[in-house]
Amino acid sequence: MIRGSCLCGGVRYQITGALSQARNCHCSMCRKAQGAAFRSRASVRAAEFEWVQGEDLVTFYESSPGNHRGFCRVCGSPILSKFDADISYYGLPLGALDDDPGVRPQLHVHVAGKAPWFTITDDLPQFPDGPK
Ligand SMILES: [Zn+2]
Ligand SMILES: [Zn+2]
């Protein structure tokens, strides 16, 4: 079981399966949404994601067509992203997790849009846009 929650504690969720596709995204949308140099995120199967409380607090913003970023409307914490193109999984920002997700980011994507004030100092593969 992997648990997560927002800053104010109003939103809580749990994940019963394994995460996948862990990566750091440096695109400008992720940087703004996180208020950080990049967004560390993974994929979670929708069927393995359960709200514990506060689902009604989650507001979605369509940052690009079909990409809905959900955040707590009280404290602003990013909670999950939904995709019209595939509703079977969600994008999950790792920063809201309370437990070790069991995965580690394996690559950097959208480094062409990277913040000029941040230097990547690890040896993980870097992709100018998305991989593939
Ligand atoms: Zn909150
Ligand atoms: Zn991004």
Side-chain angles (χ1 to χ4, degrees), residues 23-28 30-32 34-40 105 107-126:
R23 58 189 55 175
N24 296 327
C25 185
H26 295 260
C27 83
S28 63
C30 284
R31 290 195 283 107
K32 290 180 184 294
Q34 313 305 123
F38 53 84
R39 168 183 174 100
S40 297
L107 59 163
H108 296 277
V109 299
H110 292 285
V111 296
K114 188 176 80 56
W117 48 266
F118 180 77
T119 303
I120 298 171
T121 57
D122 61 43
D123 295 327
L124 297 174
Q126 298 182 22

Side-chain angles (χ1 to χ4, degrees), residues 8 12-13 19 35 42 51 54-57 63 68 107 117 120 124 128 130 132:
C8 75
R12 295 186 183 281
Y13 60 81
L19 303 181
W51 297 108
E55 180 179 3
D56 58 312
L57 296 179
S63 57
H68 307 267
L107 59 163
W117 48 266
I120 298 171
L124 297 174
K132 72 192 174 283

Side-chain angles (χ1 to χ4, degrees), residues 6-11 57 72-77 79:
C6 65
L7 177 59
C8 75
V11 178
L57 296 179
C72 173
R73 66 175 166 81
V74 177
C75 68
S77 293
I79 304 296

